[in-house]
């Protein structure tokens, strides 16, 4: 008897990622991080778990990895802080939860899941989202816990107007000269 | 931005997306990630989709829901629907980035109009793959 099909895919951002820009050891580290993240969700599915639990497991693993622009390793705002957005949706009943501009929840995707399961709403934003997630006893961290040296350097480069090639998620040229061209080597969207 | 889509053994799909946004963002800018239908969408009648890219364009193209609607109402398969939206609708607006998607029948599609996307997927034989470019 054939097993019911399962399927899974993940992403960690897209952009003008140029072969050779990253040192080989960094590429290896990113491949390993992707493997670790998809394994987390795949194990859930292989054990008969739900797709909702599987996608949450994958995204938590990616949020915990400083290589990606989510959770630990999130980019800086102009003010030097971090604002996190996340959403999760269940295809079985189209229930959904999302947060925008959250500051303190360690794993934003878990915050989105809490909105899905424990609120009457689909999206909570800013200080209200922070307050709701605190009331829901979600693990909190100081906002600077999300800092990494790579992101701080990119933030500083952007503030000083120097646009050195990097793997940063950055402004694209939507606002004309505000942010520099999006086709430069290494440009990556958040 | 990071994201995941999955189909479980009960036939249900789900999608999740998370991001720190764009570097040096101001004015409490919010992109497509938390907007249901734009950066994140899941519906057992069509597909689960998670997007990454220039959020303002993904919002205007309502990327996730557009892919699902093409499947549900126009009979497109997953690959065709994803490619039409990413390489035609989105590209016509000037939007760059990509999507990952799975359908309830087990199809998987990774579609992007940029030179690279960090990604991983499980193929038809159960093997897990990772790629950058």
């Amino acid at each position: 008897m054939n097993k019911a099909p399962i399927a899974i895919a993940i992403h960690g951002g897209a952009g003008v990622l140029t072969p050779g820009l990253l040192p080989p050891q960094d590429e290896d580290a990113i491949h390993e991080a992707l493997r670790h993240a998809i394994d987390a969700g795949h194990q859930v599915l292989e054990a008969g778990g739900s797709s909702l639990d599987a996608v949450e497991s994958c995204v938590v693993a990616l949020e915990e990895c400083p290589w990606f622009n989510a959770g630990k390793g999130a980019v800086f705002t102009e003010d030097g802080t971090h604002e996190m957005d996340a959403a999760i949706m269940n295809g079985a009943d189209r229930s959904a939860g999302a947060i925008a501009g959250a500051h303190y929840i360690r794993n934003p995707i878990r915050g989105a899941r809490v909105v899905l399961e424990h609120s009457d709403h689909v999206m909570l934003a800013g200080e209200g989202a922070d307050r709701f997630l605190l009331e829901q006893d979600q693990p909190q961290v100081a906002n600077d816990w999300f800092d990494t040296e790579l992101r701080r350097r990119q933030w500083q480069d952007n503030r000083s107007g120097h646009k050195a090639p990097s793997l940063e998620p950055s402004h694209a040229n939507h606002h004309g000269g505000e942010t520099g061209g999006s086709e430069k080597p290494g440009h990556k969207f958040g | 931005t990071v994201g995941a889509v999955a189909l479980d053994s009960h036939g249900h799909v789900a999608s999740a997306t998370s991001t720190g946004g764009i570097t040096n963002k101001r004015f409490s800018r919010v992109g497509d990630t938390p907007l249901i239908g734009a950066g994140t969408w899941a519906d057992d009648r069509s597909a689960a989709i998670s997007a990454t890219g220039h959020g303002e364009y993904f919002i205007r193209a309502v990327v996730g829901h557009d892919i699902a609607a093409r499947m549900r109402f126009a009979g497109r398969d997953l690959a065709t629907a994803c490619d039409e939206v990413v390489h035609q609708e989105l590209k016509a607006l000037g939007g760059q980035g990509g999507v990952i998607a799975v359908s309830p029948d087990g199809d998987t599609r990774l579609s992007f109009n940029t030179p690279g996307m960090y990604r991983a997927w499980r193929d038809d034989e159960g093997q897990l793959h990772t790629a950058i470019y």
Side-chain angles (χ1 to χ4, degrees):
Chain A
M1 183 173 155
N2 289 336
K3 283 176 66 177
I6 59 173
I8 191 164
I10 64 172
H11 69 77
V16 185
L17 307 172
T18 309
L21 188 74
L22 279 174
Q25 63 269 28
D26 288 353
E27 286 197 8
D28 290 346
I30 290 169
H31 281 291
E32 180 54 35
L34 290 168
R35 267 192 297 273
H36 171 69
I38 199 167
D39 272 347
H42 191 244
Q43 287 173 15
V44 171
L45 296 176
E46 284 284 7
S50 73
S51 54
L52 201 63
D53 287 340
V55 295
E56 180 182 331
S57 295
C58 291
V59 171
V60 166
L62 293 165
E63 287 176 340
E64 291 287 329
C65 176
W67 275 110
F68 305 108
N69 176 25
K72 181 73 176 177
V75 298
F76 284 82
T77 66
E78 179 70 13
D79 294 335
T81 63
H82 305 278
E83 295 176 348
M84 263 68 66
D85 307 332
I88 191 165
M89 186 166 186
N90 185 354
D93 58 5
R94 280 175 288 156
S95 56
I99 56 173
H103 299 90
Y104 307 114
I105 183 160
R106 175 167 175 148
N107 291 112
I109 199 63
R110 287 189 167 141
R113 177 90 181 250
V114 167
V115 172
L116 185 158
E117 293 181 338
H118 299 292
S119 84
D120 295 329
H121 312 294
V122 170
M123 182 191 287
L124 300 177
E127 291 178 8
D130 291 337
R131 198 162 61 244
F132 174 76
L133 297 172
L134 182 62
E135 288 175 0
Q136 292 291 320
D137 293 326
Q138 288 301 296
Q140 308 279 305
V141 292
N143 192 256
D144 63 6
W145 181 84
F146 299 103
D147 291 5
T148 61
E149 277 313 301
L150 173 66
R151 300 304 187 197
R152 182 177 297 283
R153 196 163 59 245
Q154 293 167 348
W155 171 65
Q156 289 169 335
D157 285 348
N158 273 326
R159 282 168 67 86
S160 63
H162 297 139
K163 308 289 186 191
S166 68
L167 272 180
E168 67 182 296
S170 179
H171 292 297
N173 53 6
H174 179 234
H175 299 296
E178 179 185 352
T179 59
S182 63
E183 295 292 348
K184 66 186 179 184
H187 181 89
K188 177 176 168 293
F189 292 111
Chain B
T1 303
V2 305
V5 292
L7 165 69
D8 63 31
S9 56
H10 313 288
H12 300 308
V13 297
S15 171
T17 318
S18 180
T19 190
I22 53 177
T23 302
N24 295 62
K25 66 181 178 181
R26 298 185 293 168
F27 313 123
S28 300
R29 177 265 189 190
V30 176
D32 63 306
T33 291
L35 298 185
I36 300 302
T40 305
W41 181 257
D43 183 347
D44 280 359
R45 297 172 299 182
S46 50
I49 298 117
S50 173
T52 177
H54 192 173
E56 280 70 9
Y57 293 96
F58 282 69
I59 293 169
R60 291 165 55 201
V62 202
V63 163
H65 188 267
D66 191 1
I67 291 168
R70 285 165 192 260
M71 297 176 69
R72 190 169 162 222
F73 299 120
R76 301 286 197 274
D77 61 33
L78 181 72
T80 302
C82 288
D83 290 351
E84 283 181 353
V85 173
V86 172
H87 294 286
Q88 296 174 28
E89 292 290 328
L90 195 59
K91 197 82 175 178
L93 293 176
Q96 295 178 307
V99 301
I100 55 172
V102 297
S103 66
D105 60 8
D107 284 345
T108 302
R109 187 67 172 180
L110 300 90
S111 182
F112 48 108
N113 64 26
T114 52
M117 182 166 79
Y118 296 135
R119 59 204 187 276
W121 69 100
R122 176 186 184 274
D123 68 21
D124 295 343
E125 297 174 346
Q127 296 297 309
L128 297 179
H129 302 271
T130 64
I132 295 176
Y133 311 110

